[in-house]
Amino acid sequence: MEEKYKKTVASDTASLTVRGNTFELPIYGGSTGPDVIDIRTLYRDTGMFTFDPGFTSTASCESAITYIDGDKGELLYRGYPIDQLAEKSDFLEVAYLLLNGELPNKQQDEEFKHAITYHTMVHEQLSKFFGGFRRDAHPMAIMCGVVGAMSAFYHDSTDINDPEQRKVASNRLIAKIPTIAAMTYKYSIGQPFVYPRNDLNYAENFLYMTFGVPSCEEYKVNPILANAMDKIFILHADHEQNASTSTVRLAGSSGANPFACIAAGIASLWGPAHGGANEACLKMLSEIGTVDRIPEYIDKAKDKNDPFRLMGFGHRVYKNFDPRAKVLQQAANEVLGELGINDPLLEVAKELERIALEDPYFIEKKLYPNVDFYSGIILKAMGFPTEMFTVLFALARTVGWVSQWSEMIEDPTQKIGRPRQLFIGESERQYVSIDKR
Ligand code: SDX
């Protein structure tokens, strides 16, 4: 972590009295956001653990990468507001920012883009892994497998203690993840893999490898789609210590190689409560079908006895609008408008949002549309099948995972993550032979 980023020790402390003994716990402040109480001596001093399933009140690390203010609906990448980056930057410039802490100057930008572009090809043998999957395998299953298998290819960049190898592995992952994602799609539709082109930018190249069939016809990248794709990648690049990023950090804390750690992140992101929500949201909108059926589903979402939740709504941190959802709502209007697509699901989504945001249940529980609410509609308009939505999320989030993994490895205080538990099972008891049971 950059030397200039340091926590400050507050002048006051937190007093904790446990069964007659009082302990003073240090309080630390960061550059912005909530202060933290250092509980690392608690078990030693009290013989007790803290209890925080889901880690809703727990800071797992110090980080200088991404800041979220859930009440304000604010998201900053290295201090820059997400809406400014989505409007003015491009994905690889944002990747450089997340990895290095500063926006690149012209030379740094050119060098980084060249390094990524010229590593987008994957080892030809890697394509043989695909043949082992059923052709109707879920693309996320293939992504978990193939990205994890990169550990079996790139042995010259798995020594996490070598900064140069960490940089090579980071660049390889960022460069090759679009190629692998496109190969995953091609495999599922039975078309040949398409090699990357170095004359296209990151988003254009991904669309070319995904939708191009060069052996049959020239594929012209639509600039509207390429711009929307790049914006979607920026919006999904990082998001503080979410479930998949925490998975990557925990896997990395044991010293596992970066390819295995990113594969673990992909597995966690797949869940419908996390990155799988964009796929689940579009399926939900399709199931609702028409505006007149929205009240029925709002009631189901409010019914405590019904496990149904409005996919694309709610967030562990945002208790205001997810700033990414605002940008994506605008992008949905632009992309569908410019493509001349009139998707009734967009109308259902807008009406569902309007009704939900007026409903006391959603207002009281501060449930707003999140990043996954509109992304599926744009991706569907761009021609992606629903099963590919989370693959695109993983493609973009690889930059955040790699940045957070690097920050963790470089943190001198880093140690293996090993939570404890409140044990509620059987106390010690003696074995009974089977003839006596
Ligand atoms: C992502 O963490 C990140 O940063 C993730 C992410 C990222 O970029 O990495 O932002 C990406 O994962 C976005 C979230 C995508 N998931 C969904 O859209 C799935 C639907 N949303 C819910 O499953 C839920 O809102 C979560 C999982 C997102 C958050 O759940 P929490 O934090 O465990 O629960 P909560 O505090 O949001 O819920 C508060 C209340 C609960 O009711 P009570 O128990 O208090 O009575 O609101 C209810 C919930 O039952 N609730 C919902 C709801 N979400 C929460 N009720 C109906 N529909 C919903 N969508």
Side-chain angles (χ1 to χ4, degrees):
M1 186 173 311
E2 300 278 335
E3 269 314 299
K4 68 180 177 180
Y5 300 133
K6 284 238 180 290
K7 61 177 177 289
T8 54
V9 182
S11 53
D12 58 342
T13 57
S15 298
L16 176 67
T17 299
V18 180
R19 293 173 182 157
N21 297 315
T22 298
F23 303 92
E24 297 303 322
L25 300 171
I27 293 175
Y28 305 134
S31 47
T32 185
D35 289 349
V36 297
I37 299 171
D38 184 345
I39 57 165
R40 285 176 288 187
T41 57
L42 200 64
Y43 178 52
R44 183 197 66 194
D45 294 347
T46 68
M48 292 186 186
F49 300 136
T50 57
F51 187 64
D52 186 16
F55 313 118
T56 46
S57 299
T58 295
S60 62
C61 62
E62 298 174 34
S63 180
I65 299 174
T66 293
Y67 175 70
I68 302 169
D69 183 318
D71 293 326
K72 289 186 196 163
E74 184 178 65
L75 169 55
L76 309 177
Y77 286 169
R78 298 285 190 177
Y80 295 98
I82 191 66
D83 54 332
Q84 291 182 28
L85 292 171
E87 186 190 335
K88 299 173 180 169
S89 186
D90 64 69
F91 181 67
L92 283 187
E93 183 178 77
V94 167
Y96 183 96
L97 170 68
L98 289 170
L99 284 164
N100 299 291
E102 298 295 341
L103 286 166
N105 62 34
K106 193 162 172 26
Q107 182 186 343
Q108 291 164 332
D109 187 56
E110 286 169 2
E111 286 172 359
F112 182 67
K113 282 172 176 161
H114 185 276
I116 296 301
T117 301
Y118 282 80
H119 287 88
T120 44
M121 279 180 76
V122 295
H123 192 293
E124 194 66 12
Q125 271 189 297
L126 201 82
S127 54
K128 297 199 178 350
F129 279 114
F130 286 79
F133 295 103
R134 280 176 49 136
R135 62 171 180 266
D136 61 351
H138 193 291
M140 283 298 279
I142 299 177
M143 288 290 285
C144 291
V146 174
V147 172
M150 289 173 80
S151 316
F153 266 90
Y154 301 109
H155 296 118
D156 60 341
S157 61
T158 53
D159 175 2
I160 61 158
N161 299 307
D162 176 351
E164 186 51 31
Q165 290 197 33
R166 291 204 301 268
K167 186 174 176 200
V168 169
S170 301
N171 284 355
R172 274 175 168 156
L173 279 160
I174 295 167
K176 299 177 191 308
I177 201 81
T179 310
I180 293 169
M183 292 167 79
T184 301
Y185 173 65
K186 286 303 198 187
Y187 185 75
S188 70
I189 59 173
Q191 286 187 0
F193 299 144
V194 177
Y195 290 104
R197 273 177 43 186
N198 295 343
D199 61 327
L200 299 175
N201 70 32
Y202 196 82
E204 292 168 341
N205 200 14
F206 172 65
L207 292 174
Y208 168 72
M209 293 187 288
T210 302
F211 297 118
V213 199
S215 35
C216 306
E217 58 187 21
E218 176 68 18
Y219 176 77
K220 297 283 295 158
V221 178
N222 179 327
I224 297 166
L225 299 190
N227 181 50
M229 191 81 269
D230 195 81
K231 191 174 286 189
I232 287 171
F233 287 162
I234 289 173
L235 294 169
H236 287 78
D238 194 49
H239 212 240
E240 198 210 76
Q241 306 311 318
N242 57 85
S244 54
T245 298
S246 299
T247 301
V248 170
R249 279 181 172 260
L250 195 56
S253 73
S254 73
N257 75 72
F259 306 107
C261 295
I262 299 306
I266 293 172
S268 170
L269 186 74
W270 193 1
H274 188 14
N278 50 19
E279 176 178 354
C281 180
L282 203 79
K283 283 180 179 158
M284 174 192 73
L285 291 172
S286 303
E287 185 186 327
I288 295 173
T290 54
V291 167
D292 61 322
R293 293 191 64 200
I294 289 174
E296 171 195 339
Y297 282 84
I298 295 270
D299 290 342
K300 276 169 63 68
K302 290 155 62 173
D303 178 358
K304 276 287 151 229
N305 301 317
D306 188 329
F308 174 80
R309 285 195 163 185
L310 281 185
M311 302 317 282
F313 263 80
H315 199 278
R316 173 61 57 78
V317 176
Y318 289 123
K319 299 309 174 190
N320 193 322
F321 229 92
D322 182 333
R324 302 168 294 178
K326 280 184 175 169
V327 178
L328 285 167
Q329 183 187 53
Q330 185 191 336
N333 286 322
E334 285 168 8
V335 170
L336 272 71
E338 282 152 346
L339 293 178
I341 295 173
N342 177 26
D343 185 346
L345 294 187
L346 180 58
E347 297 319 309
V348 172
K350 284 178 177 176
E351 183 61 7
L352 173 60
E353 177 187 349
R354 187 190 65 75
I355 296 173
L357 295 186
E358 290 173 356
D359 186 295
Y361 172 91
F362 292 88
I363 294 168
E364 177 219 324
K365 294 186 185 294
K366 300 182 177 179
L367 301 174
Y368 292 86
N370 59 45
V371 66
D372 294 302
F373 190 64
Y374 283 103
S375 58
I377 290 166
I378 304 175
L379 297 174
K380 176 172 175 276
M382 296 172 74
F384 292 102
T386 315
E387 291 69 31
M388 280 295 289
F389 292 176
T390 311
V391 170
L392 302 181
F393 196 150
L395 188 166
R397 187 53 58 88
T398 294
V399 163
W401 289 331
V402 164
S403 303
Q404 299 270 354
W405 171 79
S406 301
E407 184 180 66
M408 177 203 61
I409 297 288
E410 289 157 14
D411 178 350
T413 65
Q414 183 266 332
K415 55 174 59 175
I416 189 167
R418 204 309 187 182
R420 302 301 303 273
Q421 63 184 6
L422 171 65
F423 183 69
I424 55 172
E426 295 286 347
S427 303
E428 183 178 339
R429 52 182 172 167
Q430 302 312 306
Y431 183 82
V432 177
S433 60
I434 194 163
D435 55 342
K436 293 192 174 68
R437 290 177 210 158

